[in-house]
Amino acid sequence: MPSTATQTRRAKDILRINDRGGYTVPTASLYPFQWNWDSAFVAMGFASYDVERAYRELERLIEGQWADGLIPHIVFHTPSDTYFPGPEVWRTAANSVSGGPTTSGITQPPVFGMALKRVHEAAVKAGLTDRVTRTRALFDAAVRHHRWWLRARDPDGTGLVAVLHNWETGSDNSPAWDDALARVPTTTTTKIVRKDTGHVDAAMRPRDIDYQRYIHLVDTYAACAWDAERMWQAAPFKIAEVQMTAILARSTEDLIELATVIGASDAIPDLRRMHDTLTRGLQRQWRPALGRFVSHNLVTAKDIDTPTQAGFVPLLALTLEPVQCQAIVRELTKWLDACVVGVPSVPPGGPGFEVKRYWRGPVWAVVNWLIIDGLQRNGCDALAARIRDVTVAAIERSGFAESFNPLTGEPCGGLTFSWTAAAYLHFTAAT
């Protein structure tokens, strides 16, 4: 097996190969644009060896930020015909900032604040002279985005932000959304032209019927002219989501810490109010009998207790009671004991488990990154180390794949994947 030094060079090569001029595509052809949370992880990977390039990744991402604060999930910097749905399906040109790139109309998990803190810390270590100026501009963009989240996706102040499209969660076809999506009609407006299955085995991708519903949601919000209030009222899919809320809460915490060192103390009171609201909302979703947190379907007013990786991500933002940590460790250990590589996105034998199909079973290095961070925050270092070690071993054995088969460790999805390369750089730099 190649040495860590060799794998590190390969990881850096992947980021170089996927560089498109200051932003990084997840992988060529399958994902030919800039994706929101992918780029945040990639920026943290770059921060381990090239701080200038890490800043540039985040700066290119906010070129697509809307006037209302939304940072979209895709920024279409340059045309490509290898991906569906493209700009013509999103119909957001009127919403994009004048002179900026066209974008999608929804967002993704806001890892941006976490990434910015990591990049600034690397810039301090590297002695970058313009770090405060560059960080401050990105900080202001992040604060606008966080305010958008609380205003547009938690208008009632519950402390749980909602997603209006399953793509926003990052866990696109998770079994957690099956019931909610079953209530969403199929599109009658837009022709579906699958491009993904031309690049990756269809057994690893969502099904055609799934895409029919995904695009109906796009059609619905395009008909609302992507206005946040109209979208909230029209949404047939509305999930108060714990993974999203946890990432937003942690990013808010990181922005508070950043504010104190870059001279942005005026933003701290507002950020603290956001953080308090979000952490209270998360704490309500703890379910002791399950040993994890659960999301809530706002359309049916019912909890979603389907077991997925999202139930452990609140560790990232909360300091739990010992009894909660013990319950999570027991539950996570059961999942890991059933796998060659963990953490699976759905535990083997769980409802909807499919060993290769996207977010219905495979293991994702960046999700493990979040869970490991949360475990370490809560003093569960041994379990964190176990997950880190199996993740690194899977990458070294099977390459920088999009995800991994939890029962065999075999690669799934796209190959030469940017955020997996970033995760490897992060994990190996931490040892």
Side-chain angles (χ1 to χ4, degrees):
M1 185 178 295
S3 67
T4 298
T6 299
Q7 296 284 13
T8 297
R9 285 195 297 272
R10 289 179 178 174
K12 292 178 181 179
D13 283 345
I14 287 170
L15 296 184
R16 177 181 53 78
I17 290 166
N18 289 338
D19 189 327
R20 295 296 181 271
Y23 71 92
T24 308
V25 299
T27 190
S29 299
L30 180 60
Y31 301 113
F33 306 111
Q34 186 177 24
W35 262 258
N36 183 329
W37 74 324
D38 292 70
S39 274
F41 286 112
V42 164
M44 290 190 278
F46 274 126
S48 69
Y49 68 99
D50 187 345
V51 183
E52 166 66 33
R53 183 60 183 78
Y55 270 121
R56 194 69 187 124
E57 188 74 29
L58 298 179
E59 290 163 350
R60 294 301 316 262
L61 181 61
I62 64 167
E63 288 176 14
Q65 185 169 28
W66 290 14
D68 66 0
L70 168 74
I71 300 178
H73 95 296
I74 307 174
V75 182
F76 300 109
H77 290 288
T78 57
S80 174
D81 62 1
T82 67
Y83 178 82
F84 174 90
E88 70 286 351
V89 177
W90 288 100
R91 292 157 278 175
T92 61
N95 306 78
S96 299
V97 173
S98 178
T102 305
T103 71
S104 66
I106 58 175
T107 190
Q108 266 187 330
V111 183
F112 189 96
M114 296 171 57
L116 181 57
K117 179 173 180 283
R118 183 72 56 84
V119 171
H120 183 81
E121 289 170 346
V124 170
K125 187 175 180 180
L128 211 66
T129 56
D130 62 348
R131 61 183 181 270
V132 173
T133 300
R134 296 183 80 173
T135 296
R136 182 58 193 259
L138 293 165
F139 173 89
D140 290 344
V143 171
R144 291 196 301 273
H145 186 48
H146 284 220
R147 287 173 176 154
W148 173 88
W149 267 111
L150 274 293
R151 182 178 65 252
R153 296 305 179 82
D154 186 21
D156 299 323
T158 67
L160 291 173
V161 294
V163 294
L164 305 188
H165 197 298
N166 54 295
W167 280 338
E168 291 191 311
T169 69
S171 307
D172 299 12
N173 64 328
S174 170
W177 322 137
D178 284 357
D179 287 346
L181 283 169
R183 294 177 170 84
V184 174
T186 56
T187 183
T188 58
T189 303
T190 301
K191 181 181 179 181
I192 306 296
V193 184
R194 296 289 296 271
K195 300 292 183 73
D196 54 324
T197 51
H199 307 297
V200 172
D201 182 354
M204 298 179 182
R205 299 293 299 169
R207 297 180 173 87
D208 287 349
I209 187 65
D210 299 325
Y211 263 78
Q212 293 284 340
R213 293 188 167 108
Y214 303 165
I215 299 303
H216 174 82
L217 293 173
V218 174
D219 293 340
T220 298
Y221 305 138
C224 295
W226 300 103
D227 177 82
E229 291 185 12
R230 291 173 62 190
M231 289 169 63
W232 183 264
Q233 296 301 321
F237 181 96
K238 192 184 298 184
I239 307 292
E241 214 263 308
V242 292
Q243 177 170 283
M244 188 74 82
T245 302
I247 292 171
L248 182 62
R250 174 55 181 272
S251 281
T252 303
E253 179 182 332
D254 285 353
L255 290 178
I256 292 169
E257 291 187 28
L258 257 183
T260 64
V261 299
I262 64 168
S265 58
D266 55 316
I268 291 177
D270 195 19
L271 290 169
R272 282 183 175 155
R273 283 192 294 271
M274 291 185 206
H275 184 258
D276 290 347
T277 297
L278 294 166
T279 52
R280 285 198 301 269
L282 273 178
Q283 288 163 349
R284 290 198 307 272
Q285 297 308 111
W286 169 250
R287 299 295 179 264
L290 300 177
R292 50 188 169 81
F293 294 80
V294 301
S295 295
H296 188 74
N297 188 329
L298 294 175
V299 174
T300 62
K302 293 181 179 179
D303 279 351
I304 302 171
D305 60 8
T306 307
T308 72
Q309 88 293 331
F312 304 114
V313 176
L315 284 160
L316 187 69
L318 299 175
T319 301
L320 303 179
E321 297 295 327
V323 67
Q324 293 174 298
C325 290
Q326 292 163 10
I328 282 179
V329 167
R330 284 195 300 270
E331 182 66 13
L332 259 175
T333 299
K334 285 194 298 185
W335 290 33
L336 293 170
D337 287 348
C339 301
V340 169
V341 182
V343 177
S345 44
V346 178
F353 175 76
E354 295 184 66
V355 72
K356 294 182 180 181
R357 195 179 299 279
Y358 214 36
W359 288 92
R360 303 180 75 87
V363 176
W364 299 75
V366 293
V367 170
N368 285 1
W369 184 340
L370 299 176
I371 292 173
I372 289 166
D373 190 310
L375 288 168
Q376 291 172 332
R377 177 194 183 107
N378 283 276
C380 304
D381 294 335
L383 188 56
R386 176 180 176 182
I387 296 170
R388 177 207 161 274
D389 289 348
V390 297
T391 308
V392 168
I395 294 170
E396 292 179 342
R397 181 174 57 248
S398 297
F400 297 92
E402 183 175 6
S403 59
F404 300 90
N405 181 321
L407 301 185
T408 66
E410 294 172 306
C412 294
L415 303 177
T416 60
F417 220 82
S418 294
W419 72 5
T420 307
Y424 186 83
L425 293 171
H426 168 73
F427 290 143
T428 54
T431 57

